[in-house]
């Protein structure tokens, strides 16, 4: 641009100093080389602008417009310091430009937690700008920051919706241009959480007076609804069991793997204080209104998978109480032939 400007300036100065009636043609012919250089420079400039400013801007804005959806996340092989994480996802774009996005490391963090500390670093594979891209990832995650993953699990457990951001720097290669352009992959996804496992139901309960060889005296079937997209291998879990604010024992659910949907049906066993239960069953409203259905609260105590303490799940499960109504009237009636009357036996 500077050269063309200069050509114009030269010309006008010329005209100003020595006004003649020869018209433009003579000048144009005389200064043809200046116009030519000006033109070439302009072309180079435009091409450079397109390549170095235009394409990266377009590439970045196309990437920003693309939509990332998570179809499923599977967490297995959970150990104290590592786990396997698989993610099935889809990236949708308008597919109008032909580009390749290089593989990159994406940090995943909770969008709504200040600090944006990553709880996972995911290796995204190379993708293209096709309108529909299926991106399935499977990798082992070393848990460098156990606090961050515990916090994430706590949010996942306690929220009905949570926002997770994937952020990473990568490059785009546009068809026909050799240069790689730096771009940033930044997507915030809204996903359903486990909503405190609400809807958890305990049915088919039975009592064994005096307990079995492990000391367990209560058995039932538990249904744990999973509203999230996560499949999570927990392992052997145990829970504090509170009755009206008092810790009355421990509930165990073995080999627990939560899957999305309603298919989480597990046998549960518990070692609970029989005296506390019988006392409470003899009080109103349990003796006269609820037919022996008692309001318990469960709070995570431990998670052990193949001998390893999984604190990032245990602490998440310990962060909140889940209220669950358990029918003890039916098993007591089966045992004693009657419900506990008000005032006790
Ligand atoms: C991804 O999809 C495959 C095939 O449908 C399935 O076997 C796998 O469990 C899925 N993984 C995740 C993480 O959803
Ligand atoms: C990727 O995941 C999708 C489901 O999200 C599944 O349909 C597809 O089969 C999976 N592909 C592979 C190679 O696992
Ligand atoms: C009820 O519990 C018993 C053991 O206590 C178990 O064998 C049975 O399968 C359970 N039934 C259902 C329907 O969950
Ligand atoms: C859970 O309930 C028990 C008994 O009511 C209470 O002591 C405890 O503080 C509660 N814990 C949480 C995390 O709410
Ligand atoms: C759960 O505990 C049982 C009995 O203690 C054990 O046999 C089993 O291997 C444990 N399961 C896991 C996943 O750790
Ligand atoms: C797991 O934690 C329990 C209680 O906190 C402890 O007694 C046990 O030794 C731990 N096990 C391992 C393998 O660290
Ligand atoms: C009870 C409940 O909320 N069930 C949900 C479990 O999750 C699936 C989707 O993964 C939903 O369709 C169910 O409604």
């Amino acid at each position: 641009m500077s050269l063309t400007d200069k050509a114009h300036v030269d010309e006008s100065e010329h005209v100003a100093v020595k006004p003649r009636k020869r018209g433009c043609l003579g000048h144009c012919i005389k200064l043809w080389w200046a116009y030519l250089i000006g033109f070439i420079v302009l072309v180079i400039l435009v091409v450079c602008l397109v390549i170095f400013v235009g394409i990266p801007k377009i590439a970045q804005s196309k990437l920003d417009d693309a939509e990332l959806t998570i179809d499923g996340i599977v967490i297995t092989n959970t150990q104290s310091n590592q786990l396997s994480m698989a993610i099935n996802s889809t990236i949708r774009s308008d597919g109008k430009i032909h580009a390749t996005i290089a593989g990159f490391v994406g940090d995943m963090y909770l969008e709504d937690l200040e600090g944006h500390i990553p709880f996972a670093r995911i290796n995204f594979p190379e993708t293209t700008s096709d309108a529909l891209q299926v991106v399935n990832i499977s990798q082992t995650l070393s848990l460098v920051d156990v606090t961050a993953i515990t916090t994430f699990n706590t949010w996942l457990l306690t929220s009905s919706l949570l926002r997770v951001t994937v952020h990473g720097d990568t490059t785009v290669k546009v068809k026909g241009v050799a240069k790689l352009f730096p771009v940033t992959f930044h997507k915030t996804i809204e996903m359903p959480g486990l909503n405190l496992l609400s809807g958890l139901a305990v049915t088919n309960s039975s009592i064994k007076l005096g307990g079995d060889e492990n000391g367990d005296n209560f058995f039932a079937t538990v249904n744990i609804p999973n509203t999230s997209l996560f499949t999570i291998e927990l392992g052997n879990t145990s829970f504090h069991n509170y009755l009206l604010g008092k810790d009355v024992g421990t509930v165990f659910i073995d080999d627990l793997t939560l899957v999305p949907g309603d298919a989480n049906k597990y046998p549960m066993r518990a070692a609970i204080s029989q005296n506390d239960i019988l006392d409470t069953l003899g009080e109103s409203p349990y003796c006269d209104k609820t037919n022996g259905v008692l309001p318990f609260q469960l709070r995570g105590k431990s998670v052990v998978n193949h001998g390893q303490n999984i604190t990032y799940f245990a602490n998440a499960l310990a962060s909140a109480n889940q209220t669950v109504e358990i029918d003890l009237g039916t098993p007591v009636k089966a045992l004693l032939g009657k419900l506990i009357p008000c005032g006790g036996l």
Side-chain angles (χ1 to χ4, degrees):
M1 211 195 283
S2 57
L3 264 185
T4 36
D5 282 353
K6 213 172 175 195
H8 278 291
V9 170
D10 282 345
E11 187 190 19
S12 49
E13 272 174 358
H14 199 69
V15 169
V17 177
K18 290 180 182 179
R20 282 195 220 166
K21 302 245 162 159
R22 264 179 69 191
C24 153
L25 196 65
H27 283 293
C28 294
I29 293 170
K30 226 169 129 186
L31 293 174
W32 64 271
W33 51 273
Y35 287 106
L36 183 62
I37 292 176
F39 177 72
I40 290 170
V41 167
L42 196 73
V43 167
I44 292 173
L45 200 76
V46 167
V47 170
C48 287
L49 270 176
V50 166
I51 291 183
F52 292 100
V53 182
I55 295 180
K57 269 207 164 147
I58 292 169
Q60 182 66 64
S61 91
K62 289 282 175 197
L63 196 57
D64 290 346
D65 290 346
E67 194 193 335
L68 173 71
T69 46
I70 302 282
D71 306 309
I73 299 184
V74 175
I75 295 177
T76 49
N77 191 20
T78 47
Q79 301 176 28
S80 345
N81 54 9
Q82 69 173 55
L83 51 83
S84 301
M85 189 186 247
I87 302 177
N88 283 354
S89 65
T90 312
I91 300 177
R92 287 179 183 83
S93 65
D94 64 12
K96 277 184 186 150
I97 59 167
H98 295 284
T100 309
I101 300 139
F104 65 97
V105 176
D107 284 339
M108 287 179 92
Y109 56 79
L110 285 165
E111 175 63 23
D112 298 311
L113 181 65
E114 236 176 276
H116 287 176
I117 297 162
F119 60 84
R121 309 199 78 198
I122 302 295
N123 300 319
F124 277 82
E126 181 181 287
T127 51
T128 68
S129 59
D130 289 354
L132 195 108
Q133 276 275 295
V134 172
V135 182
N136 294 358
I137 301 163
S138 179
Q139 73 178 81
T140 299
L141 273 190
S142 296
L143 302 176
V144 216
D145 193 339
V146 175
T147 312
I149 192 111
T150 306
T151 304
F152 169 72
N153 287 334
T154 306
W155 281 50
L156 179 65
L157 178 76
T158 54
S159 319
S160 55
L161 268 184
L162 64 162
R163 296 201 298 158
V164 172
T165 296
V166 181
H167 179 100
D169 292 324
T170 179
T171 55
V172 160
K173 173 149 184 358
V174 179
K175 208 176 166 192
V177 182
K179 192 177 157 47
L180 296 176
F181 303 105
V183 285
T184 302
F185 186 93
H186 186 99
K187 301 276 163 219
T188 300
I189 314 147
E190 198 171 65
M191 53 171 79
L194 289 163
N195 196 18
L196 254 180
L197 306 178
S198 64
L200 183 143
V202 174
T203 53
N204 185 32
S205 49
S206 62
I207 291 171
K208 189 174 170 71
L209 282 177
D212 67 5
E213 65 281 6
N214 296 320
D216 296 326
N217 52 10
F218 176 79
F219 305 87
T221 304
V222 61
N223 271 292
I224 310 173
N226 173 7
T227 49
S228 82
L229 302 166
F230 278 74
T231 297
I232 308 173
E233 177 186 328
L234 290 148
N236 284 349
T237 59
S238 74
F239 298 83
H240 294 282
N241 192 8
Y242 301 104
L243 180 57
L244 306 179
K246 186 176 180 194
D247 196 338
V248 294
T250 306
V251 165
F252 302 91
I253 305 173
D254 287 339
D255 291 323
L256 176 60
T257 293
L258 284 178
V259 298
D262 294 321
N264 298 289
K265 194 173 175 182
Y266 282 87
M268 110 178 203
R269 58 195 173 86
I272 38 182
S273 155
Q274 235 139 330
N275 288 341
D276 285 318
I277 303 291
L278 292 177
D279 287 352
T280 308
L281 283 174
E283 289 168 13
S284 181
Y286 314 111
C287 57
D288 53 359
K289 292 196 181 71
T290 73
N291 278 328
V293 174
L294 299 182
F296 286 94
Q297 288 193 301
L298 297 179
R299 185 167 71 86
K301 190 172 184 178
S302 72
V303 178
V304 179
N305 200 11
H306 301 296
Q308 296 200 25
N309 281 335
I310 314 295
T311 57
Y312 48 91
F313 286 141
N315 291 336
L317 288 169
S319 70
N321 283 318
Q322 169 59 50
T323 300
V324 51
E325 312 251 289
I326 302 181
D327 175 13
L328 280 150
T330 305
V332 163
K333 204 171 170 185
L335 210 65
L336 307 178
K338 59 170 183 172
L339 287 173
I340 309 284
C342 291
L345 285 170

